[in-house]
Amino acid sequence: KQEVTQIPAALSVPEGENLVLNCSFTDSAIYNLQWFRQDPGKGLTSLLLIQSSQREQTSGRLNASLDKSSGRSTLYIAASQPGDSATYLCAVNLYGQNFVFGPGTRLSVLP
Amino acid sequence: GAGVSQTPSNKVTEKGKYVELRCDPISGHTALYWYRQSLGQGPEFLIYFQGTGAADDSGLPNDRFFAVRPEGSVSTLKIQRTERGDSAVYLCASSIRGEWDEQFFGPGTRLTVL
């Protein structure tokens, strides 16, 4: 059974710092991996989708990488801003199955 | 519509009652998913529709939970004889074709069973 973990569980950084969020999964036979952000009391907002054949995806200040062989993905946030404060979730999709989510990393960016 | 919508946004019910939660996916999306999220955890998969049929319902916790999508668009999640443990946020998502595509989520329905 696919298990997804995220480290750290919570992170607090001053504004302007670059930061890395980690996602690990146990079964490397994934179809794709998606990163989301979730604001308190809200639904999930899609950030980046990485297909299994890709190594990374970029959107603005965000860069996500994927290393299937080691079962890891990282989300890099450059020049963090207070508006980036949210919970960040990764989800992996096994072939023929559906997304399995990690527990999330709660990020606070302090002004 | 512009995004996935869910109604109601909040639902409070008493133990033993029946509830229905509605999801309107993005127009043209053939795939629709239901998830359940408890406080401090990631969403947990419940059921996946491809068109009108349930392609995977392996996540439904028991036979009190049932979902339909009769015309391949709007879906309703139905919970019978609700229990306090059913309290959670129920999230709906849709994607253009299937599980290989990007999923777009609605705002969720917060269900509280007293």
Side-chain angles (χ1 to χ4, degrees):
Chain A
K1 178 185 174 184
Q2 177 75 276
E3 293 185 3
V4 181
T5 55
Q6 292 187 246
I7 295 173
L11 180 64
S12 183
V13 300
E15 181 177 5
E17 273 203 7
N18 302 324
L19 59 99
V20 174
L21 308 181
N22 297 290
C23 172
S24 297
F25 45 93
T26 54
D27 188 335
S28 62
I30 66 169
Y31 201 102
N32 55 46
L33 182 147
Q34 194 166 352
W35 281 94
F36 298 86
R37 75 172 273 168
Q38 186 173 31
D39 294 284
K42 305 292 185 183
L44 279 67
T45 300
S46 176
L47 297 175
L48 291 163
L49 173 70
I50 310 178
Q51 301 293 350
S52 62
S53 58
Q54 298 174 319
R55 286 191 173 269
E56 65 179 306
Q57 283 281 359
T58 298
S59 176
R61 294 182 294 108
L62 305 180
N63 176 276
S65 67
L66 175 63
D67 184 345
K68 280 199 314 178
S69 61
S70 66
R72 295 181 63 183
S73 176
T74 60
L75 180 67
Y76 175 83
I77 303 177
S80 59
Q81 303 172 357
D84 295 331
S85 298
T87 296
Y88 290 80
L89 296 137
C90 69
V92 298
N93 189 10
L94 287 174
Y95 282 95
Q97 299 184 35
N98 288 286
F99 276 144
V100 177
F101 280 83
T105 293
R106 190 171 65 255
L107 173 65
S108 295
V109 180
L110 307 176
Chain B
V4 179
S5 61
Q6 293 185 245
T7 54
S9 56
N10 281 283
K11 177 70 177 179
V12 180
T13 191
E14 294 180 344
K15 180 176 179 296
K17 299 290 189 181
Y18 168 83
V19 296
E20 290 188 352
L21 311 179
R22 175 187 168 107
C23 173
D24 278 90
I26 293 173
S27 179
H29 282 198
T30 62
L32 184 146
Y33 314 79
W34 283 99
Y35 295 86
R36 178 168 70 174
Q37 186 176 27
S38 300
L39 193 63
Q41 298 180 22
E44 175 189 22
F45 167 76
L46 295 177
I47 186 169
Y48 157 49
F49 285 92
Q50 184 57 254
T52 60
D56 182 354
D57 64 357
S58 61
L60 294 177
N62 51 59
D63 61 6
R64 295 187 297 105
F65 288 74
F66 188 71
V68 296
R69 195 186 185 199
E71 298 180 356
S73 178
V74 170
S75 177
T76 304
L77 178 66
K78 307 180 181 190
I79 310 175
Q80 298 177 321
R81 304 183 303 281
T82 51
E83 300 178 356
R84 292 192 179 87
D86 298 334
S87 296
V89 175
Y90 289 81
L91 295 165
C92 175
S94 69
S95 64
I96 291 176
R97 295 166 298 169
E99 62 268 25
W100 51 90
D101 287 326
E102 186 176 11
Q103 294 193 17
F104 297 89
F105 279 76
T109 293
R110 181 175 299 278
L111 174 66
T112 303
V113 182
L114 301 177

